[in-house]
Structure formats: C-alpha cells, structure tokens
C-alpha cells in the first residue's frame, strides 16, 4: 500500500506541476546567467590569530575570575563599534566597509587556554588587508584589557554601593535580637531552668489538697442535712428564727390564745364577743410574727420572703441541740465557699502559668530565627568585605585577556570560475529540489486530507468514533446520468455498508433506528452514502425508509427509477402531512421506501420546523425498522441541526481529497459540544463518522466480467479528472453527475 505522504505528494504534483516546472526553469535560467558573468578580480584574505593570555603571578581570586570571564569574550564584543572605528581611523578605511568585510572565527571551546581566535579581512589589495587585520587585532587586545579593567571597577563600585545597606540591615537585626532578649529572656530562662514547670506542678498539688478538703466538708454537710432533714438554707432560717426571743415570746402568746379559743369554742359561738376579740388578738400576733420574721431574715433592710404564721412557727421550733447542729451546717457551708474560692484562684493561676509555658516554644523559635538572620547578615557582610579587599588587590594584577599570537598574512588566490555546463547542472539540481519542495508545501497548505488514513487520524484525535471506512467506487451496478448505486444483490460494495449498518446497531443501550447523515462541506459523498446504506439495510430484510431532507437542491430519486412528484414543491406542508403520498416504494429493491425531496424550497427552514415534519418522523419511526435521513452539509445551513432532535443521532461523512481539516475539526467540535450539553437523550448526538472514498481493496466475484467503465460508473475523483479532459460542450453533463455524488 502506498504511503500517505507519497499519496499526498503525487496528488499535489498533479495539481501544482506547472509551478514546479516554472521553478525549475527559473533556477536553471538564473544559474546560466550567473555562469556567463565575467570573472571578478581576485580578493585577498588576510588572516591573523589571537591567543588567550594568562598572568604569570596571581595573588587575588578576583583576578582569576576576571581572566576566566575574559576568555568568554564573544564575537560581538570583539567587533564592537569602538574597536572597528579605532582600526578604521588608523588604516584610513571606512568603518562601514571594514565591518562588512571583516570576519572573526571563535574557537569551539573558549575555556581552552590553547584555543585561538582567527581574524579575517577581504580586500583586493594584499598589503591593505594585512594592515587592516593588524590594526584590528591591536584594537581588540586593547579592548580586552579595557573590558577586564571595567569589570573590576564595576565589581568594586557595586560592592561599595551595596555595603552601606547591608551594614544597616545587620545593625537593625542585631538591635531586634537584643530588644527581644531583653523582653522575653526572663520567660525563656525560667522555662529552660525548670522554674515554670515546678510552679505548674505545685499549683496542681495545691488543687488536689483543696479538692480533698472540699470532699470532707461536703461529707460532713451531707451528714448534718440528713440528721436535721433540712438543707443549708432551711437550717439557716430555722436557726435564726428559733434563736430570736421575740419570736419565741410571740409563739407563747399565740399558743395561749389558741388554748383559750379552743376552750371557749366548746361553749360559745364564733360570733361571741369574747371569741371575736381573741381572734383579733391572734391575727395581730400573727402579723407581728410575720413582721419580726422579715426583720430577722431580711437583714440590711432587705425584705425577706413572705411566710405564713404557721410556717414561721414550724421553722422557729428548733430545740437547742438541733440549733447547734444547724449552726455547724452553716459554718461548714461558709468553709466550703472559702475552699472553692481558693481552688478557683489556684486554677486561674495554673492556667496563666500554662499559657505562659505554651508560648515558650514560639518565643524560642523567634529568638532562633532572629539569631539566624543575624548570622546570615553577618556572613554576607563579611563576604562583601572580603570581596572588596580582594577586588582592590586585583587592580594591579589585571591585564588584557588576549594577545597577538600570529601577525596577519595572505595566501595567493586562484580563479574559481566554473563552466557553463557545471552551473547549469547545479542549477537544475537546485531547481528540482526547490520545485519539489514548493509543490509539497502547496499541498500541505491546501488544508485537505488526501488519504483516508489522514482523515481517520484526525477523527481519532477528536475522539469521534469511526463507524466504517467505505471504499473508493470503481465499479457500479447502475449506469446512465443517474447517481450510480449498488442496486444489485451481489454487489461487492454492499458488504461495507452492511458492516456500517451492524456497527450502528451496537451503539448505545437502545438500538439506533433513525439516523441522519451530514458532512462538513459539500461533495463529500453523504447523499451517495445515505442511498447505499438504505439499500444495504433493505437487502438485509429490514423495512427501510430513505428521507431526502435536503430541501435546497433537486431530488436524486431518479437513480432509484422513481419519478419525483412535480406538485410537491407547490404545497410542501400538505405533501409531508399525507404519509401515503410522500412515501414511495422502490421497485428494484425489496423493503426499500423513499420520501423524495420536493426540490428547492425558499422556506426550507419553515418546512423542516413544521408540525407536519415532526408528525412524519413520529409515524415513520413506528412504521419502519430503519430510517436514513439525508441532510445538507453543515457549512451550507443548519438544517441538519434542526432535524437532529427527530433522530437518534448524526453521522458525519468525510472524504479524502475533498474534506478540509479545518472544516472537519470545527464540525466535530460543534457536534461533540452539543453531545455534552444534551446528555438526556437516548443516544449520543454524534454517533460517529464514516470515511467515504478510501482506496482499500474490494473483492469482486469471478462471474463479473471486466469491461471499460462509462463515465457515470467511475469514482468521484476519476470523474473529476476525466471532466477536465472532455470537450467544453460535455462538461455540464459531467458536473451534473458529480453534483449527484454529494
């Protein structure tokens, strides 16, 4: 199989061969003109050499560095404007002429001490050339010494310029370190000496002791509360009320009144004046009892909670022994509060000590960081001081890096004029190279794919699935002006379309039933592929429908021996709305039906977006096993994108020799981007691509006789080539056939 590059070059050569021939002719002509030119006068080349110089005694490291840098001198530095002007002034030559004719050859390794620099100068006068080279070499040696000295002075100046700033930064960081140690040194020293951890441990020990003491107090309080049956507050109230003599006296009086009332009520009514008087006295005593209770329990003029007289009498009924127990309970409560306050104070102290101890590592890190900065600044300061002293000592040792190794000399020049045949042969060889390269370049810049391997590589790069590679057709089953199709049941091309059909069945979870074929540009064989795919599906026993959805060009159903309806273009909506009128049976292929296009319509988009078209697709999806939709190219209109929602996906058709790489890439990016945006569909929007017109082998049956193919039975590329060779009056017919291959 021929390589892809060779195919591309052969096709490009066929298209641009006159450009290559013109390039060859021009190159040969130029070489002939050059060959007949008169011989120019001899030109002498004076050559001198410069060597690298190394001082005999070196005490400074800066001198060694300067000498090493001097050995890295470049051609531009040697041919400096000042060097050229100084030499030109000395030999009285134009500086521009000297710069145009001088040449400096640098050694491959500048760090080699034995390397030489060669200075060349061209001139018709031998002595003049030698004088110019000698003046140039002396100027270059002087320039080398000037460069080394200027580098040394520049080094000293840079050190003196940066030294004050470095000194100031060193003093500032030293001051920061000193201030930090004054402020935080005590804490850091306490942590390092162990005083701070000991204080934390002591605080924890005190807390444990206080908690033990607090536990003993709580146990005593619980025991007293169980014996009294009162809590601390109740014990305090009962002890205070029982110890008050006035309350005790009022209790005695109330008890006496109650005794009298009890005796009188046995003989007298409640309305008796004596009973009424005793009741009033009792109320007065109870009020006095409540008032005294407020005075005893209130304290500091604060009102005590209001209690009933009966409750006050109960609370003030403690005997001396129980009063002693209540006093002990109150004292324990006071002791408990004191211990708790001490415990809280010690806990706060421990927290402060712990926070102080937690900051010690950060303080130590900060101290180490400041000390490190001081060390770095100090090292930089010392290094600059050392470099300054070394540079000042190197001033006396620095010399030029170059010296004259050999004075200029010239050699005799022989005539190198070549004969006319040699120049013509050389021009022909160069012309062949230029012409071939120009043809290859024009072929590369054309932007087309010239082999199906290139198309496949571009589709793989775009991650577009390749559903099938269809061969370049060199033999068809139909002849005449109609589009050639593989109508015969034993056609060797049907197996490729059958393979394409089976590949479509394996796409996605659901079977693909309605597919739409389109292409990036025209003449890529999408209509031809759609027809043959429908024929292959019908031959496999599937009830197949072919829909011509290109409403911007004429119908191609004549190739199927079907006549288009001339009235369909008058009422296209009525035509598509009546399924029995628009669906036609193909007589020569069983199970194949077709919906012919009405032809060119001015409002094609309106028809495609109509409800009649939508109902047509819904009906045929239920009536047929497989539906193939032929649509216009994406570069011509958006009809394919309009019809896509009615289908299960799109197939992109590409064809070597016609498909442009930019158009294919743009179409693939557009369809793949739409596929990501509409992930809710049952199948992907772009099902894949097929490569049409590939030069792959096709096995013909033995019973097929060989014969000369007519024009309509040739491949698309053969039709195009043959149409250029036919007379002018036959070209319209050939163009019509070629247009049907879209």
């Amino acid at each position: 199989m021929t390589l892809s590059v060779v195919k591309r070059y052969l096709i490009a050569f066929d298209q641009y061969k006159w450009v290559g021939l013109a390039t060859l002719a021009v190159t040969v002509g130029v070489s002939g003109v050059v060959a007949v030119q008169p011989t120019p006068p001899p030109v002498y080349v004076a050559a001198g050499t410069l060597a690298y110089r190394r001082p005999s005694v070196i005490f400074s490291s800066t001198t060694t560095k300067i000498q090493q840098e001097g050995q890295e001198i470049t051609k531009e530095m040697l041919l400096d404007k000042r060097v050229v002007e100084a030499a030109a002034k000395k030999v009285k030559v134009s500086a521009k002429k000297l710069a145009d004719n001088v040449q400096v050859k640098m050694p491959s390794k500048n760090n080699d001490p034995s390397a030489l620099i060669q200075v060349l100068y061209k001139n018709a006068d031998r002595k003049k050339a030698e004088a110019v080279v000698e003046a140039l070499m002396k100027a270059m040696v002087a320039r080398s010494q000037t460069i080394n000295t200027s580098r040394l002075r520049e080094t000293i100046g840079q050190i003196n310029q940066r030294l004050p700033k470095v000194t100031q930064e060193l003093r500032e960081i030293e001051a920061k370190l000193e201030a930090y140690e004054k402020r935080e040194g005590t804490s850091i020293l306490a942590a390092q000496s162990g005083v701070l951890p000991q204080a934390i441990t002591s605080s924890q020990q005190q807390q444990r002791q206080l908690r033990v003491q607090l536990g003993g107090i709580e146990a005593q309080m619980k025991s007293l509360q169980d014996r009294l049956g009162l809590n601390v507050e109740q014990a305090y109230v009962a002890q205070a009320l029982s110890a008050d003599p006035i309350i005790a006296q009022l209790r005695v009086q109330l008890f006496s009144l109650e005794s009298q009332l009890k005796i009188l009520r046995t003989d007298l009514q409640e309305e008796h004046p004596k009973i009424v008087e005793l009741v009033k006295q009792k109320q007065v005593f109870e009020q006095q009892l409540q008032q005294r209770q407020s005075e005893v329990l209130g304290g500091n003029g604060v009102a005590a909670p209001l209690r009933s007289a009966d409750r006050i009498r109960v609370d003030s009924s403690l005997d001396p022994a129980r009063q002693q127990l209540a006093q002990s309970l109150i004292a324990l409560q006071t002791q408990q509060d004191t211990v708790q306050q001490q415990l809280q104070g010690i806990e706060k102290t421990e927290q402060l000590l712990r926070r102080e101890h937690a900051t010690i590592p950060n303080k130590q890190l900060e101290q180490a960081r400041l000390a490190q900065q001081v060390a770095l600044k100090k090292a930089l300061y010392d290094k600059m001081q050392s470099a300054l002293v070394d540079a000042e000592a190197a001033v006396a040792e620095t010399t030029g890096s170059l010296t004259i190794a050999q004075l200029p000399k010239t050699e005799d020049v022989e005539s190198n004029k070549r004969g006319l045949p040699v120049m013509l042969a050389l021009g022909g060889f160069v012309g062949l190279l230029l012409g071939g390269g120009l043809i290859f370049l024009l072929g590369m810049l054309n932007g087309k794919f010239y082999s199906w391997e290139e198309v496949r590589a571009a589709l793989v790069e775009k991650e577009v699935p390749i559903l099938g590679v269809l061969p370049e057709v060199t033999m068809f089953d139909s002849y005449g002006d109609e589009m050639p199709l593989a109508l015969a049941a034993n056609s060797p091309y049907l197996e490729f379309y059958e393979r394409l059909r089976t590949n479509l069945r394996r796409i996605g979870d659901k079977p693909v039933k309605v597919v739409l074929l389109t292409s990036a540009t025209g003449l890529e064989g999408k209509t031809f592929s759609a027809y043959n795919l429908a024929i292959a599906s019908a031959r496999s026993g599937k009830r197949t429908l072919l829909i011509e959805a290109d409403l911007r060009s004429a119908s191609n159903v004549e190739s199927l021996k079907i006549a288009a309806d001339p009235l369909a273009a008058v009422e296209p909506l009525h035509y598509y709305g009546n399924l029995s009128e628009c669906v036609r049976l193909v007589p020569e292929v069983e199970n194949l039906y077709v919906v012919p296009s009405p032809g060119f319509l001015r409002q094609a988009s309106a028809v495609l977006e109509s409800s009649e078209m939508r109902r047509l697709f819904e009906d045929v999806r239920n009536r047929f096993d497989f539906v193939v939709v032929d649509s216009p190219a994406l570069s011509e209109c958006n009809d394919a994108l309009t019809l896509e929602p009615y289908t299960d996906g799109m197939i992109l058709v590409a064809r070597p020799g016609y498909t442009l790489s930019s158009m294919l890439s743009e179409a693939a990016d557009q369809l793949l981007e739409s596929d990501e945006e509409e992930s809710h569909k049952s199948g992907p929007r772009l099902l894949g691509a097929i490569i049409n017109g590939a030069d792959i082998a096709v096995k013909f049956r033995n019973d097929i006789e060989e014969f000369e193919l007519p024009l309509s039975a040739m491949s698309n590329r053969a039709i195009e080539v043959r149409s250029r060779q036919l007379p002018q009056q036959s070209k319209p017919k050939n163009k019509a056939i070629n247009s049907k291959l879209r």
Side-chain angles (χ1 to χ4, degrees):
M1 183 178 290
T2 308
L3 295 177
S4 176
V5 177
V6 177
K7 295 178 186 178
R8 174 180 286 274
Y9 184 79
L10 292 177
I11 297 174
F13 180 80
D14 182 62
Q15 295 180 351
Y16 305 108
K17 55 181 176 293
W18 296 112
V19 177
L21 294 176
T23 304
L24 176 62
V26 171
T27 306
V28 173
V30 171
S31 63
V33 172
V34 173
V36 299
Q37 294 295 321
T39 305
V43 177
Y44 295 95
V45 179
T49 55
L50 297 173
Y52 291 103
R53 173 186 292 178
R54 187 176 184 86
S56 57
V57 180
I58 298 177
F59 298 97
S60 173
S61 60
T62 306
T63 305
T64 305
K65 182 180 179 181
I66 293 297
Q67 292 298 132
Q68 291 177 354
E69 292 178 353
Q71 292 182 2
E72 297 177 358
I73 193 168
T74 61
K75 184 188 298 185
E76 290 75 14
M77 296 170 63
L78 293 177
L79 294 178
D80 187 70
K81 182 179 179 182
R82 287 168 287 188
V83 175
V84 175
E85 290 179 351
K89 184 178 181 181
K90 186 175 181 179
V91 297
K92 298 180 181 180
V93 178
S94 172
K96 184 177 183 305
K97 181 179 179 182
L98 192 151
D100 293 339
N101 295 322
V102 72
Q103 184 180 4
V104 177
K105 294 183 178 180
M106 302 296 296
S108 58
K109 297 181 179 180
N110 293 342
N111 55 1
D112 187 3
S114 61
L116 298 177
I117 301 174
Q118 191 173 15
V119 182
L120 307 174
Y121 183 76
K122 298 179 182 179
N123 196 281
D125 188 351
R126 176 180 295 187
K127 294 184 178 180
K128 191 72 171 179
E130 293 177 354
V132 171
V133 173
E134 184 177 0
L136 276 171
M137 289 193 300
K138 291 181 179 180
M140 289 176 181
V141 171
R143 178 60 180 166
S144 173
Q145 185 174 4
T146 303
I147 290 174
N148 290 348
T149 308
S150 63
R151 286 177 178 173
L152 194 56
R153 293 195 184 95
E154 183 180 357
T155 301
I156 295 174
Q158 290 180 353
I159 294 175
N160 289 328
Q161 183 179 0
R162 293 185 57 192
L163 190 57
K165 183 179 180 181
V166 173
T167 305
Q168 182 182 359
E169 291 177 353
L170 177 60
R171 299 293 179 262
E172 290 177 356
I173 195 63
E174 287 177 346
K176 287 183 179 179
L177 178 59
E178 182 180 0
Y180 187 80
E181 289 181 346
K182 289 180 180 180
R183 185 175 64 253
E184 303 293 346
T186 305
S187 300
I188 297 174
L189 183 60
Q192 293 176 349
S193 62
V195 175
L196 192 58
Q198 290 178 2
I200 296 174
T201 305
S202 177
S203 176
Q204 292 176 348
Q205 183 65 25
Q206 292 178 6
Q207 292 179 34
R208 285 194 292 269
Q209 293 176 358
L210 291 176
R211 288 193 180 95
V212 171
Q213 183 180 357
L214 191 61
I217 294 173
E218 290 177 352
Q220 294 179 11
M221 291 178 62
K222 186 175 185 305
S223 177
L224 292 176
Q225 289 177 0
D226 292 341
R227 293 172 64 184
L228 287 173
L230 301 175
N231 56 25
V232 178
E233 292 294 333
Q234 293 173 350
Y236 171 75
V237 172
Q239 193 273 339
L241 294 179
S242 299
D244 187 67
I246 298 176
I247 293 178
Q249 183 179 2
L250 290 174
R251 287 178 68 250
V252 172
Q253 294 177 357
L254 285 172
F255 183 76
S256 176
L257 290 175
E258 289 176 353
S259 299
Q260 295 178 18
L261 284 173
K262 188 175 182 180
I263 295 172
L264 292 176
R265 281 174 178 168
T266 56
D267 300 328
L268 301 176
Q269 297 292 331
E270 290 293 333
E271 293 84 6
H272 193 274
K274 188 63 176 176
I275 294 178
V276 172
E277 182 181 357
L278 291 175
V279 169
K280 288 181 180 180
Q281 290 179 7
K282 181 182 178 183
Q283 292 176 354
V284 171
F285 287 150
E286 287 178 351
Q287 292 176 359
Q288 290 179 354
L289 183 63
Q290 291 177 346
Q291 182 178 359
R292 184 57 185 172
Q293 179 262 343
S294 299
E295 292 175 356
V296 172
L297 298 180
N300 298 326
V302 179
L306 184 61
R307 295 171 181 264
S308 63
D310 294 337
R311 185 62 189 171
I312 295 173
R313 294 172 64 184
V314 172
D315 292 339
S316 60
S317 61
L318 290 180
D319 56 82
R322 298 185 68 193
Q323 288 183 17
Q324 185 65 31
L325 293 176
Q327 289 178 359
S328 300
L329 181 60
I330 295 170
L332 289 174
Q333 175 66 34
T334 304
Q335 186 178 359
Q336 184 187 29
D337 294 340
T338 303
V339 174
Q340 286 181 348
Q341 290 179 359
Q342 292 177 357
L343 181 60
Q344 292 175 359
I346 295 175
E347 288 177 348
K348 290 181 180 179
T349 303
E350 181 190 2
Q351 292 176 0
L352 293 176
L353 292 174
R354 286 186 177 276
R355 283 197 292 268
E356 181 69 20
H357 188 268
T359 59
I360 293 301
N362 294 334
K363 292 179 180 179
Q364 291 176 341
L365 289 175
E366 180 66 17
Q367 184 184 26
R369 186 184 65 81
L370 292 175
Q372 185 180 12
Q373 289 184 357
V374 170
L376 293 175
K377 296 294 182 183
K378 185 65 170 57
L380 179 60
Y381 176 80
D382 295 340
K383 187 175 180 180
M384 292 182 66
Q385 288 287 358
S386 177
L388 180 60
V389 173
D390 192 73
E392 291 175 349
V395 174
E397 301 175 357
T398 303
T399 59
S401 300
L402 300 176
T403 183
I404 298 176
Q406 182 180 356
L407 292 175
K409 62 179 182 179
T410 58
E411 297 180 357
D412 295 335
V413 181
E414 297 180 358
S415 176
N416 56 355
K417 181 179 179 181
R418 295 186 176 89
L420 180 61
V422 176
M423 292 298 296
L424 290 178
L426 182 62
F429 179 72
V430 175
L432 288 175
L433 293 180
L434 292 177
L438 185 60
I439 291 174
F440 186 77
L441 179 62
L442 292 175
M444 294 297 294
L445 296 177
N446 191 16
K448 289 183 179 180
F449 297 111
Y450 287 103
S451 65
W452 68 273
E453 292 89 351
E454 294 178 353
V455 180
R456 181 179 63 181
L459 293 173
V460 170
E461 181 181 359
K462 291 293 181 180
E463 298 182 358
V464 178
I466 300 177
L467 301 175
V469 180
L470 306 179
E472 183 178 9
V473 179
T474 58
M475 182 177 180
F476 291 91
D477 304 313
S478 60
Y479 311 102
D481 293 340
E482 297 84 2
M483 180 173 58
L485 299 174
L487 295 175
N490 59 349
S491 174
Y493 298 101
L494 283 178
E495 61 176 301
F496 295 94
Y497 292 94
E498 177 62 23
R499 190 181 307 167
L500 170 61
R501 187 187 67 83
T502 55
N503 289 337
L504 286 173
R505 295 180 58 187
R506 294 195 297 266
I507 295 178
D509 299 333
K510 297 181 180 180
V512 177
K513 194 171 185 179
V514 182
V515 295
L516 184 144
L517 272 69
T518 185
S519 60
T521 58
L523 299 178
E524 293 185 83
K526 58 177 181 55
T527 301
F528 176 74
S529 301
Y531 269 72
N532 284 302
L533 176 60
I535 293 173
S537 176
R539 292 293 186 189
S540 65
K542 302 295 182 181
R543 184 179 174 88
T544 306
L545 175 66
L546 173 65
I547 300 178
E548 289 188 327
D550 188 357
L551 306 185
R552 304 177 188 272
S553 59
S555 175
N556 297 293
V557 293
E558 292 86 356
S559 302
L560 299 175
K561 309 303 181 183
I562 296 176
D565 187 1
L567 300 179
V570 180
E571 292 291 340
L573 296 180
H574 177 74
Y575 172 72
Y576 284 111
N578 193 343
L579 190 64
S580 60
E581 293 184 3
C582 63
V583 177
R584 309 286 295 278
L585 175 65
V586 178
E588 295 189 3
V589 181
E590 187 180 359
N591 296 323
L592 180 61
Y593 299 81
V594 64
V595 177
S597 169
F600 177 76
L601 297 179
R602 295 185 179 274
Q603 302 294 332
S605 299
V607 175
L608 295 177
E609 296 175 1
S610 63
S611 59
E612 286 79 4
M613 183 64 70
R614 177 178 56 80
R615 285 195 298 270
L616 172 65
F617 275 89
E618 292 176 355
D619 292 341
V620 300
R621 180 182 289 272
N622 298 324
R623 292 173 180 266
F624 293 91
D625 299 328
F626 190 65
V627 180
V628 182
V629 183
D630 177 31
S631 65
L634 295 173
S635 61
E636 298 175 358
C637 57
N638 291 331
D639 292 354
L641 300 179
T642 303
L643 293 173
E644 187 275 334
Y646 303 145
T647 66
D648 295 331
M650 304 176 66
I651 300 177
L652 191 63
V653 181
R655 180 183 176 188
Y658 292 85
T659 300
L660 296 175
S661 60
S662 59
M663 298 296 291
L664 180 62
S665 177
E666 181 181 355
D669 291 339
Q670 180 184 7
L671 297 179
L672 290 174
E673 180 180 1
S674 301
D675 182 15
E676 296 176 359
E677 293 177 354
E678 299 186 5
S679 59
H680 63 278
K681 298 188 60 175
S682 60
R685 178 168 190 174
L686 180 60
L687 300 175
I690 59 176
I691 303 175
N692 184 34
D695 54 345
I696 56 179
V698 180
K699 295 182 181 179
F700 291 87
R701 296 179 180 271
N702 296 330
D703 55 350
I704 299 178
E705 297 181 358
E706 296 182 359
F707 55 90
E708 185 178 359
L709 298 176
L711 180 62
S712 61
M714 293 184 180
S715 65
N716 302 337
R717 191 177 301 168
I719 292 174
E720 184 178 356
V721 175
R722 182 68 64 85
S723 64
R724 300 194 190 104
Q725 301 174 357
L726 293 177
Q728 185 69 25
Q729 61 270 17
S730 63
K731 287 187 177 182
K733 181 178 179 181
N734 299 331
K735 291 181 179 179
I737 296 175
N738 197 15
S739 65
K740 292 184 178 181
L741 292 176
R742 294 182 300 169

